[in-house]
Amino acid sequence: MNKILKKTLVLLPVALLAGCNFKYTYNISGLVISGGEQEDLDDIEDAGTYDIKVWVDDRIVELTKSQIGQFVAANGGKYTINATIEPVGEEKAASSMLQDVQDGADLFCFAQDQLSRLKVAGALSRLGSGYVNAMQEEMVEGAVDAAKINNEVYAFPITADNGYFLYYDKNFISDEDAKDVSSIIAACTKDPSKPRTFNFEARSSGFYAASYFMATGCYSNWELDDESGKFKSYDDNYDSGNGLIAAKGLKELDKKGVVVSDSHASKLGESAAAVISGIWEYEVNAVKKLDEAGMLGCAALPSFTVDGNSYHLSSFDGYKLLGVKPQVDPKKASVCRKIARFLTSEDCQYERFDKAKWGPANKAASQKEDVQNHKGLKALNEQHQYAKPQGQCPGSWFTALATTAKAVTANSTDAQIQEILANYRAGLPELLDSD
Amino acid sequence: MAQQMSDLEYLKLNKFQRFGLKFVAFFKAIPGWFKNLGIKIWAFLKRSFWGIVNFFKNLGLTFWYGDWKTKVSYFVMGFGSVMRGQWLRGILFFLFEVIFILYLALFGGHYLGRLYILGTVESTIGDDGTIVYGENSFNILLYGVLSLFFIVAFIYTWYLNIKQNRIGEEYEKAQKKLATASDDVRALVDKDFYKTLLALPTLGILIFTILPIFFMILVAFTNYDKSHFPPQNLFGWVGFDNFGLLLQWGNSEGASFSMTFGQILLWTLVWAFFATFTNYFLGMLVAMLINKKGIKLKKLWRTVLVFSIAIPQFISILFVSNMFAEDGIINGILGAISGGKLFIDFWGEAWIARITVIVINIWIGVPYLMLVVTGILMNIPADLYESANIDGASAWQQYSKITLPYMLFITGPYLLTSFTGNMNNFNVIYLLTGGGPKVQEYYGNAGKTDLLITWLFSLAVNDTNYKLAAVIGIMVFIVVAVLSLVIYNIIPSTRNEEEFQ
Amino acid sequence: MATEKHGMSMSKKKKIANTASYIALGLISIIWILPFIFLVLKSFDTGNTGVTRDILPSAWGFDNYSYLFSSDCNFLQWYFNTFIIALFVCVIQTAMQFMMAYTLSRFRFKLRKPLMNIMLVLGMFPGFLTMIVLYQLLKTIGLTGDNAVPGLILVYVASSGMGYYVIKGFLDTLPKSLDEAALVDGANRMQIFIKVILPLCKPILIYTVLTSFMGPWGDFVFAYTVSLGSQAGMNVAAGLNSWLSPANIGAHFTHFCAGGVIVAIPVMVLFMFLQKYYVEGVTGGAVKG
């Protein structure tokens, strides 16, 4: 026993050291791209050598690397850029930036709901009218608004695909069924030998539950105090006649075991017949397999019916943004903004769609034929007319809405629903304080 | 106790009565404690006062009566030591002084000077994307505190340096030989070997535990949150305002913070109680099963359980958490068995989630307890059981009369530490539920299975609300300390450590 | 043994009791082992990389493992980092704890009791609170980001002296006469520590090395903070954990499972060999509190 142990202890590190020749796959510090002749187009003289750190999702690390190379090439060798590109996804980028703005990335990708936090923490700066005007021109409608706080723009829209839509399995759900929540649920239970689920996270997530309320015309607008980054007031009508209709519609999702409150498109083709999720699940292999079999359906969200009236589910228009950290060196600040503008340009956004299936926020790129024909993006596009912009709101507002949705779907009567909505409203002032 | 009844009477009681008696006695003793505490504090103050007076008196006298070497040593540390032949000590003293002065002049002094206000110059961001960094409150507080630590260390060393001179003078008068450098080195591996051994561990604790804790305690008295977030913004002192939030009940602003704190504290205690005792008794049961006479393959059973300790928790718990998801493996199995009728939303409902975490915690904790208990079970004298067998005692009687009392006696302190450990059991809760289900009525996105420690974590990391996280941290400390104090005074087996040697 | 003399009925009863015990133990074993079987099964699932409710994969293969070792993924980097950290930590931490424990067990000096009390009190503060401070300290000396590995080693070992209890409990049981005899023989305290005491501590030494080696494998919070996104400084727990975010879980859940299996194997093998010492340490530690 002892001998074996000794051998293992000695051999283990040796084997490990020998077996692995390590590549810093993503960390390409030392990538130096330069050459060509100089072009003088800019108002500030910013030619030079820069170390730039970029945080993007690991799916587009390699792509971003080559795009920064394109940027250097396009500028005819004016810049030498040592780019370090690290795979920090949108959900982690914001908290890592907050943890250490100074050592954080110079350019980073994040979801729009983090905008106000990042702005208050000094991780973003206001963009001048030159950039804003150009973006208004080039980006799809609503994209620039997503980067706005109190009418000032703070970041560059990089995708317009952060919303959600309906994936469905055509073996179980016909295109006609997919138009209505009740018929989807009915289709799931049609064949008792093959029970399927409808995965819709509205029961436990405010992000999805809002679909019902916004569909009936409810709104919840929160006003941010520019200085403190805290919310100072709100205008909310979820506790209203329209809210009651929405809540009644939501009640339909209480069929536990049939309606599952998650958003895993990976269950499609196995236990789920329909899933409401985003484009980020499109490349999951379960979805791909279904697509190859010709049985994948993608559509705008379905409608729901209350008291004979039908309402098309709404959703949030989701955008991902590219942020530029304020720099001590004005030259570097200028270069970083130029890179950000380049990375969000038509060609780069289209390339990102081509290689990683990210939906462009750039108007021209989104008009291209293959973008228009992509099943998932097409569904998002159809949903777009029903979608509402996701303004800045406290993170705990989603919790409040989830609490409400969960209570509504727990066998509530109409009277109880009214009470639940009243509780929701009564709790709103606390959100101002707590976020 | 002794005044109220004789030892004989006490021995006649059963253990619950004894326990009750101790419990009552404990609370009766509390006023006495406070009295004692008061006396002690007064004595301490008196002692400190005279200590300080003596300190300065000694300093003055040593200076007044000291020779010129001593006098120079007041300003150039180690001078006297070097002149008296103790060059190693002298050089070390001198080096320390140089480092201290350099530190203050080049680094620490600036922060120390701003500690009272934590900075006044904010960062400004220009429209061209540039930033001019102002003062950083975080760094001022951190390095200010570090400088304070350094100053205390310096004063102490300076005092030692002077004491050395006094001793040196006395030795010179008595014509005794002073310890040379080689004597010093020899002492460090022999008589004073403990100083050598302790140097590194205590330095590490000082810088990486005491300094950070000191810092975080101070943060509880500032407004460090997302609106006052360095390096972009400054934070400043606010006194006891944050603690005031804990005392606000009713409809005033901040009420929901105190309500949430109360609820989460309650659940933390409930959780710690069940997590500790379910593990304890079930672990004991499993250990007894395995160790039962006539059971074969003991090693196999044990190994199977130990298996789960060997796997890093974040893997096993995260996986188990996914198993219990609404659409996870467990519900898949339940559905298959019941034909789709049975369905449990494990993480969705407060009470189901709470029970589920306790049950899964059994899975996590029992193997460990089984090991602990096995070792102790073997130590129970076998003749106790033999005589019980002869008397015809049933298995239950043997358990309740022999095994359990013995176990409780031996593992009393262990139970206490595992209770407080469970109160701070971050991994299990964070990885299983992330604190959820989250509810609107709780402050700051807290959930129904959140413990104080996980709530603190999400306040700090997700909401960057460090001021309240620090307040909660201090409250956790107070609760743990008070509980430990109370329980240590009740349990029987707080033994004298010298007993073994 | 005594019971067997009481005749047939007693032994029959015993047989039933034993059968019941075996059934119970069998059930317990299944419950405890099943999640790991599920984990291993899922790690071979090539039909669906996301979360599913089915136990058996729809297609089998080694894709998930080969992904880990492919250039698409930094798993090897993470693994190597963690291994280095664990190696250094287990050596230095064991040394620190022994230094502290030996001192407190064998020397009697003025600050001994205060020192022990201070460490007891410090242990009652929730450690997470200090994370941002530790990050800032490490940043000041340049040990964050790409240099997170030495930084993490430093933080893990720096305060490890506070975990001296188990070793001290063991040392307390070694008779003081050993030290005294050696002192009479002219050994100094350092020689006693190294030549007399340490050789007797083999079981507890192995226990300490084992537990301190295992520690760094599970740190997914602090390690993530210190690495600040850098792959060169990421450890395996933080890396695997990042695969379970909502945007990644669909594509990476099986990779997480495969990674988990690979992380668990060496630790488990080590554990199986050294189980005896682990059990001794755990028992001793618990009894001595």
Side-chain angles (χ1 to χ4, degrees), chain A residues 117 126 203 228 327 337 399, chain B residues 127 129 131 227 326 445 462:
Chain A
R117 280 177 84 195
R126 190 170 59 187
R203 215 162 57 212
S228 69
Q327 301 287 338
R337 285 183 166 187
T399 303
Chain B
D127 278 356
I131 184 162
S227 312
E326 196 179 330
N445 258 333
N462 299 336

Side-chain angles (χ1 to χ4, degrees), chain C residues 9-26:
Chain C
S9 71
M10 210 57 181
S11 85
K12 214 178 199 173
K13 227 180 181 178
K14 212 173 162 189
K15 235 179 208 164
I16 295 168
N18 273 355
T19 322
S21 306
Y22 280 124
I23 293 172
L25 282 172

Side-chain angles (χ1 to χ4, degrees), chain C residues 225-247:
Chain C
T225 307
V226 175
S227 69
L228 194 73
S230 158
Q231 293 294 302
M234 187 81 84
N235 86 345
V236 73
L240 289 182
N241 196 33
S242 69
W243 282 345
L244 295 188
S245 68

Side-chain angles (χ1 to χ4, degrees), chain A residues 98 117 120-121 125-126 203 228-229 256 261 267 326-327 330 333 337 399-400 403 406 424 430 433-435, chain B residues 125 127-131 133 226-227 229 232-233 253 256 326-327 343 348-349 437-440 443 445 462:
Chain A
L98 292 179
R117 280 177 84 195
V120 174
S125 61
R126 190 170 59 187
R203 215 162 57 212
S228 69
K256 295 191 175 167
S261 194
K267 286 170 180 161
Q327 301 287 338
R337 285 183 166 187
T399 303
T403 311
K406 196 173 286 164
Y424 160 84
E430 296 283 356
D433 174 51
S434 83
D435 200 77
Chain B
I125 296 180
D127 278 356
D128 58 347
T130 55
I131 184 162
Y133 282 110
K226 78 170 183 181
S227 312
F229 194 73
Q232 169 64 10
N233 302 305
E253 196 190 349
S256 92
E326 196 179 330
D327 202 14
F343 169 87
E349 304 293 330
K438 312 247 178 224
V439 286
Q440 182 182 5
Y443 178 95
N445 258 333
N462 299 336

Side-chain angles (χ1 to χ4, degrees), chain B residues 112-126:
Chain B
L112 196 63
R114 305 297 286 163
L115 195 55
Y116 74 99
I117 192 155
L118 298 176
T120 47
V121 186
E122 295 221 357
S123 302
T124 47
I125 296 180

Side-chain angles (χ1 to χ4, degrees), chain B residues 222-235:
Chain B
T222 70
N223 55 2
Y224 184 11
D225 60 15
K226 78 170 183 181
S227 312
H228 305 91
F229 194 73
Q232 169 64 10
N233 302 305
L234 300 165
F235 62 78

